Amino acid sequence: MTAPAGGPAPSVPASVDARVRSIDRAGEMLARLLDSGEPMTLRDLAEAADLPKSTASRLLTALERHGLVHQTGERGKLEPGPAILRFAHRGGVERHLVEIAQPALEALSQASGETVNLSVPTPQGVDHLAQIDATHFLGAGQWVGRRVDYHCTANGKVFLAFGAAELPPERLAALDQELETVRREGVATAIDELEVGLSAIAAPVRGPTDDVIAALSISGPTLRLTHARLAELAPVLHDEASALSERLGTSKQGDRAA
């Protein structure tokens, strides 16, 4: 908007100015967190941005909703979230995540004969980055480029269980027991959930910060991926996901799948 010739410049509405200041303060806290190289407390971030803790908390909650920050659980400390890590990692070894994951994908394809995928979490759902098709005529379709929900997929449950994705509390509560099992056993399953007749099993992949940044999965028709077959594939999948995590530089060893 331009001012009439010779007239005063138009004023910016106070509400717009306040939103701009909020964005600026949120950006300042995020920059401080990235520069720190280690998790920071809400109090530290609030002081760094010269903000009341209540205001800082609201801004950080908004950043967390979009995957830009993540609460570690270590006395409520905050660290860069999965969205930041995905883009940051593209500048280093994780830029070649698909290439690095190829041996694991091929090993799982050979072991299972089913469709194998590598996926990552996004604020809108699970994104599939790479796939090896099943050796059978009846497979699980093409998933690369498709986005699916968290609550009804094996990959999605992995991300929810290990804090790489979020759902509203009321929806997450319905999965509490299942997600606890995922954390204990190191694998997640989805049987006839995303679609009747489709089953899948997935395991977490950790990056250099030890956060879950991706998942490996095996999917196929439920008539082939029976409970017994899923149990046979779980240790193989878990081992390949752990080996890929080690290649990506993680120092954390996950629980052995049963």
Side-chain angles (χ1 to χ4, degrees):
M1 183 184 298
T2 58
S11 62
V12 177
S15 61
V16 174
D17 190 45
R19 287 197 292 271
V20 171
R21 286 199 303 271
S22 294
I23 294 170
D24 185 58
R25 294 296 179 84
E28 184 178 355
M29 287 193 294
L30 182 57
R32 293 296 183 100
L33 184 59
L34 293 173
D35 287 340
S36 73
E38 59 184 24
M40 296 179 67
T41 65
L42 169 61
R43 182 176 182 176
D44 290 339
L45 288 167
E47 290 178 353
D50 194 23
L51 286 172
K53 282 181 65 176
S54 59
T55 302
S57 178
R58 289 195 299 272
L59 294 176
L60 288 167
T61 297
L63 292 175
E64 190 169 17
R65 280 199 303 272
H66 293 283
L68 298 173
V69 301
H70 171 68
Q71 190 164 321
T72 67
E74 179 190 350
R75 298 180 181 177
K77 288 188 175 182
L78 296 146
E79 62 185 6
I84 290 290
L85 294 175
R86 285 199 309 276
F87 287 104
H89 290 159
R90 288 175 187 174
V93 69
E94 278 78 2
R95 176 180 297 176
H96 307 293
L97 178 58
V98 172
E99 179 182 343
I100 295 169
Q102 198 62 32
L105 293 169
E106 292 174 357
L108 290 173
S109 175
Q110 185 173 0
S112 68
E114 303 291 350
T115 301
V116 178
N117 283 101
L118 173 73
S119 63
V120 294
T122 76
Q124 292 78 36
V126 178
D127 275 5
H128 297 82
L129 299 184
Q131 173 171 314
I132 295 182
D133 294 334
T135 58
H136 306 276
F137 287 114
L138 179 61
Q142 178 55 248
W143 295 99
V144 174
R146 296 176 65 182
R147 180 172 293 161
V148 295
D149 291 334
Y150 286 111
H151 70 283
C152 58
T153 58
N155 285 331
K157 291 175 187 177
V158 163
F159 297 138
L160 290 172
F162 293 99
E166 292 186 346
L167 286 178
E170 62 275 11
R171 295 183 65 192
L172 196 59
L175 293 170
D176 276 350
Q177 187 172 352
E178 185 173 4
L179 297 183
E180 179 57 37
T181 300
V182 174
R183 286 187 286 270
R184 184 176 65 251
E185 297 184 353
V187 294
T189 60
I191 301 171
D192 298 330
E193 294 183 48
L194 180 63
E195 184 176 280
V196 174
L198 176 66
S199 291
I201 184 170
V205 175
R206 298 180 182 274
T209 62
D210 296 332
D211 291 306
V212 171
I213 61 169
L216 288 171
S217 67
I218 301 170
S219 58
T222 303
L223 61 87
R224 286 200 305 266
L225 288 182
T226 61
H227 287 281
R229 181 59 174 154
L230 290 173
E232 290 175 0
L233 292 173
V236 180
L237 176 61
H238 184 274
D239 287 349
E240 289 298 334
S242 295
L244 174 55
S245 298
E246 290 178 10
R247 290 196 294 274
L248 290 171
T250 191
S251 61
K252 187 167 184 176
Q253 298 298 317
D255 295 331
R256 173 76 185 217

